[in-house]
Structure formats: structure tokens, C-alpha cells
Amino acid sequence: MMNKWKATDKEDLELLDHAIANWHPKLVDIRHEIAIVFKDKAGKTGGKTNLGKCIKAPGILAVLGDKEYQFILEIGYDLWLALEDTDKLALIDHLLCHVQSEENEQNGEMTYSMRTPDVSYFSEEIERHGNWKKEIYDSLVEKEVAEEKEKKSQEDFDAAFAALEEEGQRELDRQVKQLQK
């Protein structure tokens, strides 16, 4: 069985604090609800070392522990020890990028959830095609925006037309009443 433990080393936690303060300011309010957890060895997928992962903390942790966590950054300790501080900071930054925040416009409360990376490539793809997915995603976003604008324009037109029809019907009713007098 693989051992896991929560990071308590001051230097490790300062790296987390630095990444949040400098690059993830929307996470400041939940800083103490984000834990770094080390495991003995970094896992591998397809023979390639997994640098770490960010997971949404299961709710049961609040029952079992002394505090509620929202996110856990899990890192192989063997890898962590081999990294320079700049690489540790980059890894923490990468893992924190998985957390997105959104403010509820009605009550101002922040909600936090997981997101997938914007970019996922094989090195061979980059060599052959460059950042080809960005162009596709950008065009899909443009198409969605255009469709939303068109839908809004149609809704505005329909509402204006309905108002005119209603106004016309009221005027017609008024004229009929005038004639009936």
C-alpha cells in the first residue's frame, strides 16, 4: 500500500501561497481549503511519469478530519524531491489551474469547480501542426457568440413585433368602440 501524507513543510506551503497570491487571486479565500498531499512515488501512464493531479476533495473528509477541504493537489514525493523550486512552483501553478471560480451574480457567493486544461497535445502534433486546436476552439467560440447574438436579435425582434401587434390591436379595438358609439 502506498503511503500518503499532507504537506506541512513551511517551504512547500510557501510555494502554494506564492502561486495563489501571484497567479490565482480568486483562490485566496479558500487557500486553507487546498491541501498538498504527497504519496511515496509518482505514478506512470504509458511509461510516462504523472507530475501530479488536482482533485475535488470528497465531502467525507469534513466528517473525518478537523477541517473541510475543497481541493487536493496530489504529488509523488520522489518527483517532488528531484525538482528545483522553480519547477515545484510551476507544478503547483499547473495544478491550481485546474480550479476555476465563478461568482454568483445574484448573491455574490463564489463557487469553485474543476476544469480541464485548455491545451492537450502530443509533442508530435506540435511539431507537425503547431497549436492547431486553438484555431478550431476559437472558431467554435466565435460561432457560439454569433449564434447567441442572432438568437438575441430574433428574440428582440419577436418581442418588438408582439408589442406592435398588441398596440395595433388596442388601436383597432379603440376605433371599433368609437364607431359603435
Side-chain angles (χ1 to χ4, degrees):
M1 185 166 95
M2 187 169 295
N3 291 321
K4 293 184 179 186
W5 64 96
K6 183 178 157 192
T8 56
D9 185 60
K10 181 181 176 199
E11 288 80 20
D12 297 337
L13 298 176
E14 285 174 351
L15 290 171
L16 178 59
D17 291 337
H18 178 84
I20 290 173
N22 288 282
W23 305 309
H24 305 276
K26 290 186 175 185
L27 301 181
V28 167
D29 291 341
I30 64 163
R31 160 53 192 98
H32 295 289
E33 297 171 31
I34 300 171
I36 298 175
V37 172
F38 291 116
K39 59 183 187 173
D40 290 329
K41 288 186 61 127
K44 291 189 180 231
T45 302
K48 191 173 181 180
T49 301
N50 297 325
L51 300 178
K53 66 181 177 180
C54 178
I55 59 172
K56 185 98 168 112
I60 192 71
L61 286 181
V63 174
L64 299 174
D66 59 343
K67 70 186 302 181
E68 191 170 325
Y69 288 98
Q70 288 201 43
F71 298 95
I72 299 170
L73 311 182
E74 187 176 278
I75 302 168
Y77 198 63
D78 59 332
L79 169 74
W80 189 254
L81 292 175
L83 295 176
E84 298 292 326
D85 281 351
T86 55
D87 294 325
K88 290 177 181 178
L89 189 57
L91 176 56
I92 289 173
D93 179 29
H94 168 75
L95 295 175
L96 289 173
C97 283
H98 287 276
V99 181
Q100 68 182 3
S101 60
E102 190 173 334
E103 184 175 353
N104 181 318
E105 292 179 15
Q106 291 154 340
N107 63 17
E109 286 186 27
M110 296 296 287
T111 57
Y112 302 91
S113 58
M114 295 288 295
R115 69 181 186 133
T116 57
D118 305 341
V119 180
S120 176
Y121 289 108
F122 292 97
S123 57
E124 298 88 16
E125 286 179 271
I126 298 287
E127 291 170 11
R128 290 189 288 262
H129 310 289
N131 189 6
W132 66 275
K133 290 182 188 177
K134 182 179 183 331
E135 294 171 14
I136 292 172
Y137 288 128
D138 288 349
S139 69
L140 289 172
V141 167
E142 286 175 19
K143 181 180 176 189
E144 287 173 5
V145 167
E147 288 172 353
E148 194 62 36
K149 282 182 181 177
E150 185 176 321
K151 180 181 174 187
K152 176 88 171 99
S153 293
Q154 185 63 46
E155 289 171 353
D156 291 347
F157 175 80
D158 291 346
F161 187 76
L164 283 173
E165 272 188 318
E166 191 175 307
E167 186 178 316
Q169 186 63 48
R170 279 195 302 265
E171 178 60 26
L172 184 60
D173 291 345
R174 188 185 66 72
Q175 288 177 7
V176 167
K177 284 181 183 179
Q178 285 288 344
L179 289 173
Q180 290 174 345
K181 288 184 180 180

